[in-house]
């Protein structure tokens, strides 16, 4: 029979529809198998493969163990962020954050770049990792990667205006320091990701070199090239993106050599953290949590056996007869906690060594109570979740590590500032109980009018604080929207929702940080103003000041301040011991106010008008002025200026007109030229 001969063999005549259905079914099963979906299995639907890239992610995750072992390691962290509501403001803050100062090798702000064409081929690696003959590191026939730097994030945010969500990735290659520039790698990666997902992607990125491992923050719009919502399968997010990055880095730097693999695994045997050996042991254990060292290769058998012996010493594994071992149920969680604690201790040791301080180190927990001390360092504990830490040199002579929550929930702290850190609690507030009480007498609704009827002594400003509370809960999805008539429908479980709201806020801000002194302790001893030392001498509040470490510095500072106050005739040291004059603090505060006002009068060429109780303050809120005693707001008029106590609410009003009546407790501020709006205390 020739190549062109064809002899059809007809089968039994039947229903074409049935055959088509059978054929379609076979295609569906085959496609399902390639995507990792076995229609015949009784597994529960998980939704992991809904969206783009499901089959690619599944196929990429089936790398054989040998190639996986030789591949370069890359960590990819992913988050999906909703943009509707206040999400766009958070997206704007995120872009500012990843471009902040100090993230480049030179300590400069990060450069935002994207996929636009322009520039030249910038792929480069240090001589340490560039393989001879590998050329540019690009695939054969692949065009040069071109990257546009210094793009405007405002244009990207404008395109995100109507997006439902966005994706954020952090890509960190273990050997990323061997790249001279990460931009071409990221550009190639995002192009491959777009191919996997079947759409062009709109993204921006910033490279960071401020940690031990260089990494890149990538923000991807949540729309495809047709303008529709981009849905990426969890299968691809979990495996596909990381495996694509691993392929590229391994191709650029070459696979890891045998001695590199063996050296790394050998180091893992005794580590007090979750290791790759542990993950493989957990993956191979049976239903009774029993596992045996790998057979075949004697090297892997020795590594497994050594690691199991280490786990047994940590009481996380025990012999189960023969060569088998039984792994503890909390083994993974315990090892993760050990690893985190070890990272914290090493971080503290590094900071203490840098400052040449010898201190006992301690991880401060909420149940330990308030902490007073000097700020040694502040940094990122988890850059992906924006979790920050604080290291405080305590008056108890120890150095303390604290988780202070999200960076956006905490103000900037001056280096060396003296602070009091107080753990917060998640509990229902009195404002929540008042809302429920008002609603109970107003057919289940809260409004300003109903509040003033409920409590005739309340002010509009006070009622507004309750509305701001409801608005904050609404943004968190725990309260309904405000009705057209200005009222709020209060649910029967409102207090439970308020408790949940406080728990969510506690995750973002687990502690309150009060700055006791923004300047170093040595400057406070002879400062013309009320200092923390004066308040401690007048009414001691800090207990446990040890005669060692920073506690000794505090004791010396108190002694020096005591002597200075006596010299200034603001205190005496008689038979009954040391005592401050009754008006000493008022005199110190007055001295500072006069000193600040004199300097500003020369700077502004204007007269100083002192704010007295009962007088009305008018003018433009120019800026914040820092003193030893307190912070002041500079309120300017055409020919004079005034200094009044600073309030956080003034931060957003700088440059605007404002005014109010000066009272003992402060000013009830009104903003804007007409100043017909609500009062803010």
């Amino acid at each position: 029979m020739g190549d062109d001969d064809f002899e059809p063999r007809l089968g039994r005549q039947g229903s074409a529809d049935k055959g088509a259905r059978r054929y379609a079914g076979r295609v569906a099963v085959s496609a399902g198998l390639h995507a990792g979906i076995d229609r015949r299995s009784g597994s529960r639907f998980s939704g992991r493969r809904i969206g783009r890239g499901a089959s690619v992610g599944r196929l990429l995750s089936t790398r054989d163990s040998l190639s996986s072992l030789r591949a370069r390691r890359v960590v990819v962290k992913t988050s999906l962020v909703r943009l509707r509501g206040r999400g766009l403001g958070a997206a704007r803050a995120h872009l500012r954050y990843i471009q902040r100062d100090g993230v480049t090798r030179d300590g400069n702000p990060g450069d935002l770049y994207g996929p636009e064409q322009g520039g030249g081929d910038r792929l480069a690696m240090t001589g340490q990792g560039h393989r001879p003959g590998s050329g540019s590191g690009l695939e054969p026939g692949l065009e040069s990667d071109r990257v546009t730097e210094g793009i405007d994030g405002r244009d990207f945010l404008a395109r995100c205006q109507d997006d439902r969500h966005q994706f954020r990735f952090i890509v960190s290659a273990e050997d990323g320091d061997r790249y001279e520039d990460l931009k071409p790698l990221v550009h190639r990666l995002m192009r491959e990701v777009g191919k996997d997902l079947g759409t062009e992607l709109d993204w921006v990125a910033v490279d960071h070199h401020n940690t031990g491992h260089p990494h890149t923050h990538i923000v991807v719009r949540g729309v495809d090239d047709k303008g529709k919502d981009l849905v990426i399968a969890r299968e691809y997010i979990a495996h596909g993106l990381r495996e694509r990055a691993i392929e590229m880095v391994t191709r650029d730097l070459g696979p890891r050599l045998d001695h590199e693999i063996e050296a790394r695994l050998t180091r893992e045997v005794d580590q007090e953290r979750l290791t790759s050996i542990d993950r493989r042991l957990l993956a191979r254990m049976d239903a009774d949590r029993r596992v045996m060292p790998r057979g075949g290769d004697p090297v892997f058998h020795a590594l497994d056996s050594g690691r199991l012996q280490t786990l047994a010493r940590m009481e996380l594994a025990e012999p189960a007869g023969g060569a088998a071992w039984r792994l503890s149920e909390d083994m993974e969680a315990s090892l993760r906690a050990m690893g985190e604690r070890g990272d914290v201790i090493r971080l503290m040791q590094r900071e203490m060594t840098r400052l040449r301080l010898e201190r006992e180190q301690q991880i401060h927990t909420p149940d330990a109570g308030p902490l007073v001390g000097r700020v040694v360092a502040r940094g990122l504990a988890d850059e992906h979740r924006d979790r920050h830490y604080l290291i405080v040199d305590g008056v108890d002579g120890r150095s303390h590590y604290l988780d202070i929550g999200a960076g956006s929930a905490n103000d900037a702290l001056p280096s060396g500032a003296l602070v009091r850190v107080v753990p917060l609690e998640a509990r229902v507030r009195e404002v929540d109980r008042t809302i429920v009480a008002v609603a109970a007498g107003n057919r289940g609704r809260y409004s300003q009018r109903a509040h003033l009827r409920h409590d005739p002594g309340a002010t509009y400003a006070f009622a507004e604080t309750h509305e701001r509370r409801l608005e904050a809960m609404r943004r968190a999805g725990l309260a309904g929207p405000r009705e057209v008539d200005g009222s709020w429908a209060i649910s029967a479980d409102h207090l439970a929702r308020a408790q949940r709201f406080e728990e969510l806020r506690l995750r973002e801000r687990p502690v309150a940080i009060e700055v006791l002194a923004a300047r170093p302790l040595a400057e406070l001893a002879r400062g013309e103003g009320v200092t923390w030392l004066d308040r401690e001498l007048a009414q001691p509040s800090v207990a446990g000041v040890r005669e060692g470490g920073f506690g000794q510095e505090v004791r010396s500072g108190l002694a020096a301040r005591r002597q200075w106050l006596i010299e200034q005739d603001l205190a005496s040291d008689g038979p009954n011991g040391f005592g401050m004059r009754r008006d000493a603090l008022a005199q110190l505060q007055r001295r500072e106010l006069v000193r600040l006002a004199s300097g500003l009068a020369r700077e502004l060429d204007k007269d100083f008008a002192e704010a007295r109780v009962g007088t009305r303050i008018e003018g433009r809120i120019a800026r914040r002025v820092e003193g030893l005693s307190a912070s002041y707001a500079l309120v300017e008029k055409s020919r004079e200026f005034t200094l009044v106590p600073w309030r956080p609410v003034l931060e957003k009003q700088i440059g605007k007109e404002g005014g109010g009546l000066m009272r003992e407790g402060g000013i009830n501020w009104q903003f804007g030229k007409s100043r017909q709006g609500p009062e803010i205390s």
Side-chain angles (χ1 to χ4, degrees):
M1 182 179 291
D3 292 339
D4 296 328
D5 294 336
F6 174 68
E7 181 180 354
R9 296 184 180 181
L10 302 179
R12 185 184 307 173
Q13 185 174 1
S15 170
D17 290 341
K18 290 182 180 179
R21 284 198 297 269
R22 284 196 298 270
Y23 178 73
R26 290 197 299 273
V27 171
V29 169
S30 177
L33 289 173
H34 280 287
I37 306 171
D38 190 348
R39 300 289 184 189
R40 296 166 296 179
S41 69
S43 60
R44 187 180 62 179
F45 175 73
S46 67
R48 289 182 58 84
R49 301 182 183 99
I50 292 178
R52 295 175 179 263
S55 59
V56 178
R58 181 64 176 172
L59 291 174
L60 287 172
S61 67
T62 58
R63 182 195 306 274
D64 64 86
S65 59
L66 182 60
S67 62
S68 176
L69 201 59
R70 293 190 180 280
R72 299 283 169 178
R73 295 195 297 182
V74 179
V75 174
V76 177
K77 295 184 178 181
T78 308
S79 61
L80 184 147
V81 181
R82 304 286 180 184
L83 295 187
R84 298 287 163 84
R86 296 186 66 193
L88 195 62
R92 185 177 294 105
H94 179 70
L95 278 188
R96 286 199 304 267
Y97 175 73
I98 62 178
Q99 295 177 83
R100 66 190 186 277
D101 286 338
V103 300
T104 67
R105 286 191 177 98
D106 300 326
N108 296 320
D111 288 326
L112 197 69
Y113 62 92
E116 290 84 357
Q117 296 296 310
D121 182 5
R122 295 171 52 90
L123 179 64
M125 291 168 285
T126 63
Q128 179 185 4
H130 198 183
R131 289 176 291 133
S134 62
S136 67
L138 302 178
E139 295 181 57
L142 193 62
E143 67 273 19
S144 297
D145 297 312
R146 301 184 181 276
V147 182
T148 296
E149 298 182 51
I151 66 175
D152 193 343
R154 289 174 295 185
D155 295 338
F156 180 76
L157 289 171
R159 298 196 296 273
C160 296
Q161 188 73 35
D162 298 320
D163 293 356
R164 184 184 70 175
H165 62 275
Q166 67 178 204
F167 298 93
R168 296 176 187 170
F169 305 109
I170 299 179
V171 180
S172 177
E174 182 181 38
D175 303 298
D177 57 344
R178 295 168 68 174
Y179 283 88
E180 187 176 306
D181 189 355
L182 291 171
K183 294 180 179 64
L185 171 66
V186 173
H187 191 269
R188 285 185 289 137
L189 172 63
M190 296 310 296
R191 185 168 55 202
E192 285 301 310
V193 171
K195 290 179 182 178
D196 290 342
L197 302 180
T199 180
E200 292 183 6
L201 300 175
D202 190 358
W203 56 273
V204 293
V206 177
D207 298 331
H208 282 198
H209 297 270
N210 58 330
T211 65
H213 295 287
H215 57 278
T216 301
H217 290 259
I218 307 171
V219 182
V220 182
R221 286 185 62 198
V223 295
D224 60 19
D225 49 12
K226 305 297 183 184
K228 297 182 179 180
D229 289 339
L230 175 63
V231 180
I232 304 178
R234 282 188 288 165
E235 192 76 56
Y236 189 84
I237 288 176
H239 302 291
L241 183 60
R242 177 170 56 87
E243 293 298 332
R244 280 295 182 219
I246 288 173
E247 284 180 355
M248 291 182 178
V249 175
T250 303
R251 186 166 59 245
D252 289 345
L253 304 181
R256 291 187 296 172
L257 303 178
D258 289 344
H259 70 86
E260 292 179 310
I261 298 170
E262 187 173 340
R264 179 180 62 81
L265 293 175
T266 301
R267 289 194 298 269
E268 290 184 357
V269 169
D270 295 320
Q271 288 181 357
E272 294 185 353
R273 62 168 60 247
L274 186 68
T275 68
S276 62
I277 302 176
D278 301 320
R279 293 188 180 94
R280 288 184 172 87
L281 290 173
L282 290 166
R284 298 202 323 269
M285 70 180 182
D286 61 20
D288 295 326
R289 303 188 66 84
R290 294 190 308 171
V291 68
M292 295 179 63
R294 278 172 290 184
D297 192 318
V299 173
F300 288 122
H301 184 276
L303 290 169
D304 283 356
S305 298
R307 184 58 180 170
L308 287 165
Q309 293 283 352
T310 300
L311 293 172
R313 288 195 295 272
M314 293 188 286
E315 299 183 354
L316 296 175
E318 61 181 7
W325 293 77
R326 180 173 286 105
L327 305 181
S328 168
E329 291 188 3
D330 62 345
M331 168 183 151
E332 185 172 359
S334 297
L335 288 172
R336 288 187 187 278
M338 289 181 188
E340 291 173 1
R341 182 178 179 83
D343 291 341
V344 168
I345 295 300
R346 282 189 292 273
L347 172 66
M348 294 177 72
Q349 289 173 341
R350 188 163 59 246
E351 291 296 334
M352 292 296 108
T353 301
R354 178 178 64 85
L355 296 172
R356 298 180 180 178
L357 298 175
E358 293 185 6
R359 301 284 191 269
E360 179 185 344
Q361 293 153 4
Q362 181 173 322
I363 298 177
H364 197 79
T365 56
D367 56 0
L371 171 67
V372 174
R374 173 178 55 194
V375 174
V376 171
R378 174 177 173 172
L380 281 160
D382 187 334
E383 194 164 8
H384 185 57
R385 295 186 300 140
D386 188 28
R387 303 292 295 188
H388 284 231
Y389 69 83
L390 200 66
I391 298 179
V392 175
D393 191 10
V395 297
D396 61 356
R398 304 185 183 95
S399 63
H400 300 259
Y401 175 97
L402 302 97
D403 174 14
I404 61 173
S408 56
N410 293 277
D411 295 332
L413 294 170
S415 179
L418 186 67
V419 297
R420 176 187 285 112
V421 185
V422 180
L424 298 177
E425 297 181 46
R427 59 185 179 186
V428 175
R429 297 185 179 182
E430 192 59 35
V431 64
D432 304 311
R433 302 187 192 280
T434 302
I435 290 171
V436 171
V438 171
N442 191 44
R443 300 188 303 278
R445 293 186 172 274
Y446 176 88
S447 67
Q448 274 196 7
R449 290 183 179 179
H451 192 147
L452 297 178
R453 286 197 305 269
H454 174 81
D455 181 9
T459 64
Y460 279 100
F462 181 66
E464 272 202 339
T465 62
H466 295 67
E467 291 194 328
R468 287 198 293 270
R469 174 73 166 181
L470 288 169
E471 176 61 22
M473 291 180 62
R474 182 197 67 78
R475 290 195 297 265
L478 294 169
R482 189 175 185 173
E483 302 295 340
V484 178
D485 62 358
S487 66
W488 300 76
I490 305 303
S491 62
D493 62 342
H494 183 78
L495 293 183
R497 294 182 178 214
Q499 175 67 27
R500 174 63 177 157
F501 179 66
E502 287 299 314
E503 290 170 357
L504 292 174
R505 293 184 65 183
L506 190 64
R507 294 180 189 174
E508 295 295 304
R509 186 170 175 254
V511 296
I513 304 173
E514 176 190 0
V515 178
L516 302 175
R519 302 186 184 183
L521 198 62
E523 293 184 22
L524 304 184
R526 305 186 67 83
E528 289 278 358
V530 180
T531 70
W532 173 75
L533 295 174
D534 300 313
R535 296 189 179 96
E536 279 298 300
L537 290 170
Q539 190 173 357
S541 62
V542 178
V545 181
R546 291 189 179 178
E547 294 184 359
F550 184 62
Q552 183 59 49
E553 293 183 38
V554 169
R555 287 177 177 272
S556 299
L558 288 169
R561 186 62 172 179
R562 189 183 297 115
Q563 184 61 36
W564 184 85
L565 290 170
I566 293 172
E567 292 172 0
Q568 298 292 316
D569 197 26
L570 295 172
S572 61
D573 193 4
N576 297 326
F578 175 81
M580 294 178 64
R581 285 175 46 177
R582 183 172 299 178
D583 62 343
L585 298 184
Q587 281 202 43
L588 285 169
Q589 191 164 12
R590 174 74 180 166
R591 286 187 190 183
E592 179 176 62
L593 186 63
V594 170
R595 176 175 56 82
L596 292 173
S598 299
L600 289 169
R602 291 191 298 271
E603 176 189 337
L604 303 173
D605 194 21
K606 294 180 180 180
D607 294 331
F608 170 61
E610 187 171 353
R612 300 185 184 278
V613 175
T615 60
R616 184 164 184 81
I617 307 302
E618 298 279 353
R620 183 177 67 90
I621 302 166
R623 66 176 189 258
R624 180 174 178 169
V625 178
E626 295 290 347
L628 279 175
S629 305
S631 299
Y632 300 89
L634 172 60
V635 182
E636 275 192 272
K637 297 180 75 173
S638 59
R639 298 182 179 180
E640 62 184 25
F641 70 93
T642 304
L643 290 174
V644 297
W646 175 263
R647 295 290 180 268
V649 71
L650 300 177
E651 191 70 51
K652 295 182 179 180
Q653 307 300 330
I654 292 178
K656 299 179 182 178
E657 296 288 325
L661 187 65
M662 187 72 182
R663 298 176 178 174
E664 288 286 352
I667 300 175
N668 286 342
W669 285 100
Q670 294 174 301
F671 303 110
K673 289 188 176 181
S674 63
R675 290 191 284 282
Q676 298 299 316
E679 293 184 346
I680 301 178
S681 299

